[in-house]
Amino acid sequence: MKPPILIIIMATIMTGTMIVMLSSHWLLIWIGFEMNMLAIIPILMKKYNPRAMEASTKYFLTQATASMLLMMGVTINLLYSGQWVVSKISNPIASIMMTTALTMKLGLSPFHFWVPEVTQGITLMSGMILLTWQKIAPMSILYQISPSINTNLLMLMALTSVLVGGWGGLNQTQLRKIMAYSSIAHMGWMAAIITYNPTMMVLNLTLYILMTLSTFMLFMLNSSTTTLSLSHMWNKFPLITSMILILMLSLGGLPPLSGFIPKWMIIQELTKNNMIIIPTLMAITALLNLYFYLRLTYSTALTMFPSTNNMKMKWQFEYTKKATLLPPLIITSTMLLPLTPMLSVLD
Amino acid sequence: MLKIIIPTIMLIPLTWMSKPNMIWINTTTYGLLISLISLFYLNQPNDNTLNSSLMFFSDSLSAPLLALTTWLLPLMLMASQHHLSKEPLTRKKLYISMLILLQLFLIMTFTASELIFFYILFEATLIPTLIIITRWGSQTERLNAGLYFLFYTLMGSLPLLVALLYIHNFMGSLNFLMIQYWIQPLPNSWSNIFLWLACMMAFMVKMPLYGLHLWLPKAHVEAPIAGSMVLAAVLLKLGGYGMMRITTLLNPLTNFMAYPFMMLSLWGMIMTSSICLRQTDLKSLIAYSSVSHMALVIVAVLIQTPWSYMGATALMIAHGLTSSMLFCLANSNYERIHSRTMILARGLQTLLPLMAAWWLLASLTNLALPPTINLIGELFVVMSSFSWSNITIILMGINIIITALYSLYMLITTQRGKYSHHIKNIKPSFTRENALMTLHLLPLLLLSLNPKIILGPIY
């Protein structure tokens, strides 16, 4: 893609999300969502094959439906409250519609079916943007309407998302699908405490974005999209294999890595609100997630996967792939736990 | 406490920056020096605990375990020298760094004063152990072993996290020292039963309790020697230590809830001891013997009498040293014949007589010969369980007999009798191996002269 066009498209994506985050008028928020969606379609279709086109079509259809649902919710809210400003939504129908629309955009269960298929059809870089940047806008709207969200609905969605994210990822060997199911599960954790303490959702989103960015960048270093190609990394980048090990354990939520911080804080907030069974269930289901991350680390870092001998002798070209900001990203994704008391800056 | 933690952290740059022929010497020496520092904490005045800071403290329960942990690092390093000698330098340094990292987490776990801090470090010890087992184990079963190890422990400990956070909200603080004064009795109700279960299952899995012990033979057998040593000696004691700390919060429900676990432990110790008699794999035999000894500790902790707590603490320290020594002996066999099958290396007494002396002493301490601290531990536990219920003496007696049986079976099979023909070519014992056995045995025998330092806070 020619650089000027790429710059314009990237700028549109960022502007779209910024408009969503910074505006207080519902119409402008809808405009921001549409801008974002239309601009990311060419990014999803960077590789011109039928799989990418199918992926971008699926993405377009779900996001457009969700935007329309959001608009309907906005209109009903306008009807009952007479104003366009983003504030507490008193009408339950409007609030349920908006919640459903935003969870459709995020890929929460039961609207999660598009996430693995779209993520699989696109390149690693586009997948990275899809799973990290695109989550910011809907999350910011959920943050703003959080006092008026129906807790039962969102908690049900969150619980089923964690289950789907855990079980769905078990049978996958394609890295992009694994990251998609990981995204579904993490979104489930975030959705669970929006109604109780939205600050924890912001914390989880920040840490999730950091960890997912690091993971995708490590995958892009080797241009590997399957577990098999990831298992050849020990030959070229032995240090990166250790990084993948720690990063996967952090994504799985093991202490003392920073992936444990959101889980700990979310369980704390939920127990403060007298819910014991739900966080226990979510925590145990997160173990399913840990299983497939651990399987990735087994094939990458801890064993030597069976491969033919000519796979073991790779051409040692000069290192040209750009891994922007990779060291700080990895450090923040794994070593942030002692800084947990600094959480108060998020308030 | 920083005077132990910072030197341990500094051991990592020491390994990475030492000259290639000095890495083992440097780390072992400085590890031994650090263990000398931890001995200062054994001097505990009266009933009080020694508070080092807001986050760390040590009392007469954690100080012996701390000394055991720091004593074990140089021993692990000495034991690993042979099987790592053929590896490239970076991998050697990585292995040593994993051991040091594990040591660091263990030190912090035993001296943590807040229960959530304890939990985070309790889980943190899993990661280096997983890497050691899965990366440096020798057979293909190590992958399964790592998975079983990680997931059994995590399944038990995630409800513990929820329970600790609930108790934190309920009590206001989880600092162990303060919470002793705020404890309210826990009445019997369904939700309290689940709270008790959530708190205890993590430690039951770690100990391990008989029904949940499947991970232990796998992990112990597939781990390399340092992994087996630290698993048997220290990581199992984490479970015992955690149980002893958290039962203060759970009275008097423990009297009601303890019955199923007592039954499982009492039956389980006989079962696992009997399985030892039929094992062909030497490391597997020692692993099952660990389950059996730890079942005694579970019984002791659940009875909650002063004698049983003393017995549990003494048994934990004694078993740590004995089990680690047995694994070192088994490893010395494995390094020579590259097989763990017991009958392949018989009659070693004629070929390696000094090693036979260590085998004899290790087996004797394993079967709790007087006046070793193993006996003190077992005797206290037997007596206190007799006072809890008279019938348990039968089961305990059977267990002591079967323990003696398999310890002697192991000794006789490997040492006595006519040697098998193919082992005439084995190398004689290295000084390193003899030093290793001495360093294991000396604390064990010297402690029988002054056992009061390991008898715990109730003494």
Side-chain angles (χ1 to χ4, degrees):
Chain A
M1 206 183 273
K2 293 207 177 84
I5 305 183
L6 191 59
I7 293 179
I8 295 179
I9 292 181
M10 284 291 181
T12 318
I13 296 176
M14 290 202 203
T15 320
T17 310
M18 287 290 147
I19 290 180
V20 169
M21 287 207 294
L22 297 173
S23 55
S24 52
H25 194 280
W26 276 115
L27 190 62
L28 261 177
I29 289 178
W30 175 78
I31 290 177
F33 272 126
E34 297 297 307
M35 249 170 91
N36 192 7
M37 171 184 67
L38 288 173
I40 207 174
I41 301 290
I43 298 283
L44 297 184
M45 291 209 319
K46 247 201 246 175
K47 276 260 182 70
Y48 218 48
N49 53 28
R51 195 72 194 274
M53 299 210 273
E54 174 193 342
S56 25
T57 319
K58 279 186 184 153
Y59 185 72
F60 174 74
L61 285 173
T62 46
Q63 299 285 310
T65 316
S67 295
M68 280 299 114
L69 256 176
L70 184 67
M71 202 57 192
M72 173 139 200
V74 164
T75 323
I76 296 180
N77 183 35
L78 175 66
L79 200 60
Y80 280 92
S81 67
Q83 47 151 350
W84 286 98
V85 177
V86 180
S87 58
K88 186 168 163 55
I89 302 172
S90 27
N91 188 10
I93 301 179
S95 129
I96 289 181
M97 277 207 161
M98 285 188 203
T99 318
T100 321
L102 291 166
T103 51
M104 234 194 258
K105 279 192 177 293
L106 281 174
L108 278 175
S109 161
F111 311 114
H112 65 278
F113 293 98
W114 60 271
V115 187
E117 296 166 17
V118 172
T119 322
Q120 182 62 28
I122 55 185
T123 57
L124 276 172
M125 173 70 101
S126 318
M128 184 167 84
I129 301 179
L130 182 75
L131 288 181
T132 53
W133 185 257
Q134 296 296 92
K135 310 287 179 192
I136 297 183
M139 278 295 179
S140 72
I141 302 299
L142 276 173
Y143 183 94
Q144 287 175 2
I145 61 170
S146 61
S148 29
I149 299 180
N150 186 357
T151 310
N152 293 333
L153 175 68
L154 205 56
M155 191 58 79
L156 185 66
M157 283 190 183
L159 211 50
T160 45
S161 296
V162 177
L163 286 168
V164 162
W167 262 304
L170 281 182
N171 204 21
Q172 306 298 337
T173 54
Q174 294 283 334
L175 293 177
R176 289 168 286 180
K177 277 211 173 116
I178 287 182
M179 294 312 289
Y181 281 106
S182 133
S183 147
I184 298 175
H186 281 271
M187 291 297 135
W189 277 89
M190 286 181 228
I193 36 128
I194 287 186
T195 46
Y196 297 107
N197 192 348
T199 314
M200 297 303 155
M201 183 269 288
V202 174
L203 168 75
N204 198 353
L205 186 65
T206 320
L207 281 167
Y208 166 71
I209 288 180
L210 286 171
M211 292 191 288
T212 312
L213 277 175
S214 318
T215 322
F216 267 103
M217 279 200 203
L218 288 176
F219 291 162
M220 285 197 289
L221 266 180
N222 209 20
S223 306
S224 51
T225 54
T226 62
T227 315
L228 186 63
S229 59
L230 201 64
S231 69
H232 295 142
M233 227 191 234
W234 62 272
N235 208 351
K236 262 185 123 176
F237 307 109
L239 184 58
I240 303 287
T241 55
S242 333
M243 294 294 119
I244 289 191
L245 171 68
I246 311 182
L247 211 46
M248 286 291 146
L249 293 177
S250 182
L251 262 177
L254 277 188
L257 303 166
S258 36
F260 178 63
I261 302 177
K263 298 210 158 46
W264 173 19
M265 291 292 126
I266 290 178
I267 296 182
Q268 189 172 29
E269 290 301 316
L270 287 174
T271 49
K272 274 188 193 159
N273 282 293
N274 282 328
M275 313 177 72
I276 309 285
I277 300 187
I278 290 184
T280 319
L281 212 56
M282 281 167 65
I284 294 187
T285 322
L287 282 181
L288 287 170
N289 258 332
L290 182 65
Y291 177 69
F292 56 78
Y293 296 138
L294 204 62
R295 208 169 41 191
L296 272 184
T297 63
Y298 269 21
S299 64
T300 316
L302 292 173
T303 62
M304 205 157 92
F305 221 55
S307 56
T308 52
N309 274 331
N310 54 359
M311 284 291 182
K312 295 185 183 137
M313 310 278 272
K314 285 196 184 269
W315 284 108
Q316 301 284 339
F317 288 122
E318 215 180 272
Y319 186 71
T320 53
K321 287 243 157 73
K322 237 195 301 196
T324 334
L325 283 182
L326 192 58
L329 271 178
I330 293 185
I331 293 187
T332 48
S333 332
T334 54
M335 298 212 214
L336 224 44
L337 189 71
L339 290 180
T340 316
M342 272 180 63
L343 220 54
S344 43
V345 304
L346 280 174
D347 264 328
Chain B
M1 200 50 62
L2 271 182
K3 55 183 173 282
I4 302 186
I5 293 179
I6 301 265
T8 314
I9 296 179
M10 282 297 149
L11 279 177
I12 300 185
L14 179 69
T15 44
W16 284 95
M17 296 204 245
S18 294
K19 286 196 233 159
N21 56 350
M22 290 289 282
I23 42 173
W24 297 106
I25 304 177
N26 278 342
T27 44
T28 317
T29 322
Y30 284 102
L32 278 171
L33 284 175
I34 294 176
S35 69
L36 282 182
I37 306 178
S38 71
L39 289 179
F40 279 106
Y41 288 102
L42 284 175
N43 175 28
Q44 296 274 344
N46 309 328
D47 278 334
N48 291 331
T49 63
L50 285 175
N51 296 336
S52 312
S53 77
L54 289 175
M55 293 186 296
F56 295 113
F57 83 119
S58 74
D59 76 345
S60 1
L61 173 57
S62 59
L65 288 166
L66 181 66
L68 179 67
T69 313
T70 48
W71 184 245
L72 219 68
L73 177 68
L75 266 52
M76 286 196 279
L77 290 169
M78 282 204 281
S80 321
Q81 278 184 21
H82 185 121
H83 78 92
L84 285 182
S85 55
K86 301 266 179 4
E87 296 229 354
L89 187 64
T90 315
R91 266 187 234 155
K92 276 192 227 182
K93 290 182 175 171
L94 259 177
Y95 188 78
I96 301 178
S97 313
M98 283 294 128
L99 287 180
I100 296 173
L101 200 61
L102 180 59
Q103 167 85 336
L104 178 69
F105 288 144
L106 282 170
I107 292 175
M108 293 208 279
T109 317
F110 281 125
T111 53
S113 65
E114 217 243 339
L115 278 172
I116 299 248
F117 189 42
F118 170 78
Y119 174 81
I120 293 180
L121 292 162
F122 176 78
E123 301 281 296
T125 57
L126 293 176
I127 298 182
T129 321
L130 175 75
I131 298 179
I132 292 177
I133 296 179
T134 326
R135 174 70 181 78
W136 277 281
S138 320
Q139 276 79 30
T140 51
E141 289 85 13
R142 69 187 196 270
L143 304 174
N144 225 7
L147 273 173
Y148 264 70
F149 168 63
L150 189 67
F151 281 93
Y152 263 68
T153 318
L154 280 176
M155 267 300 245
S157 59
L158 283 169
L160 175 65
L161 178 63
V162 182
L164 282 179
L165 288 169
Y166 172 76
I167 296 179
H168 184 108
N169 290 330
F170 185 63
M171 296 261 204
S173 148
L174 277 178
N175 193 330
F176 180 68
L177 304 163
M178 292 203 281
I179 214 170
Q180 287 173 324
Y181 300 108
W182 294 346
I183 300 173
Q184 298 164 16
L186 202 65
N188 189 352
S189 72
W190 272 109
S191 46
N192 282 338
I193 288 182
F194 282 114
L195 181 68
W196 193 97
L197 277 177
C199 288
M200 294 291 262
M201 285 322 281
F203 304 116
M204 295 287 183
V205 171
K206 199 88 172 144
M207 284 296 281
L209 183 65
Y210 173 60
L212 304 164
H213 68 290
L214 274 183
W215 65 270
L216 188 123
K218 287 185 167 35
H220 273 99
V221 166
E222 302 304 329
I225 177 61
S228 292
M229 282 169 77
V230 76
L231 262 175
V234 190
L235 287 175
L236 266 49
K237 316 305 180 268
L238 267 181
Y241 174 74
M243 257 209 277
M244 288 171 84
R245 289 284 186 223
I246 213 160
T247 42
T248 55
L249 299 172
L250 298 172
N251 269 324
L253 188 54
T254 315
N255 301 337
F256 173 69
M257 281 302 293
Y259 283 103
F261 300 100
M262 293 280 294
M263 297 302 125
L264 269 177
S265 300
L266 286 168
W267 184 237
M269 71 185 177
I270 297 183
M271 282 278 98
T272 45
S273 314
S274 321
I275 289 179
C276 284
L277 284 171
R278 297 288 298 169
Q279 286 295 331
T280 53
D281 184 342
L282 188 54
K283 272 177 103 161
S284 191
L285 195 153
I286 307 173
Y288 275 108
S289 117
S290 281
V291 179
S292 166
H293 285 271
M294 284 296 114
L296 274 172
V297 176
I298 296 183
V299 166
V301 174
L302 287 177
I303 300 180
Q304 292 185 306
T305 70
W307 278 64
S308 75
Y309 268 31
M310 284 199 274
T313 321
L315 196 52
M316 284 203 283
I317 305 289
H319 173 256
L321 287 166
T322 313
S323 205
S324 176
M325 185 172 177
L326 282 170
F327 273 116
C328 286
L329 288 166
N331 185 52
S332 73
N333 255 5
Y334 179 75
E335 281 171 4
R336 286 173 171 78
I337 62 177
H338 285 289
S339 163
R340 297 193 301 260
T341 317
M342 265 197 299
I343 54 174
L344 281 184
R346 295 190 303 265
L348 288 175
Q349 188 165 13
T350 34
L351 295 162
L352 307 171
L354 186 55
M355 200 52 84
W358 306 134
W359 271 103
L360 177 69
L361 285 170
S363 304
L364 288 180
T365 50
N366 197 20
L367 56 90
L369 193 75
T372 60
I373 43 178
N374 300 59
L375 176 80
I376 295 178
E378 274 198 36
L379 204 58
F380 280 18
V381 174
V382 168
M383 287 195 288
S384 46
S385 74
F386 179 66
S387 82
W388 180 75
S389 154
N390 292 1
I391 308 183
T392 55
I393 192 97
I394 305 177
L395 296 167
M396 294 279 181
I398 296 180
N399 183 41
I400 294 185
I401 295 179
I402 303 185
T403 308
L405 277 175
Y406 71 71
S407 299
L408 290 176
Y409 166 63
M410 180 172 65
L411 180 68
I412 293 178
T413 317
T414 51
Q415 305 301 119
R416 305 295 165 111
K418 185 149 170 60
Y419 50 81
S420 41
H421 287 284
H422 59 87
I423 62 170
K424 280 189 263 205
N425 298 333
I426 58 176
K427 296 197 174 87
S429 315
F430 298 108
T431 314
R432 172 185 61 88
E433 292 175 347
N434 288 329
L436 197 59
M437 306 310 161
T438 324
L439 284 175
H440 271 114
L441 206 50
L442 221 49
L444 207 53
L445 296 177
L446 285 175
L447 274 173
S448 45
L449 294 177
N450 187 10
K452 76 166 184 279
I453 36 182
I454 51 159
L455 281 180
I458 315 282
Y459 181 75

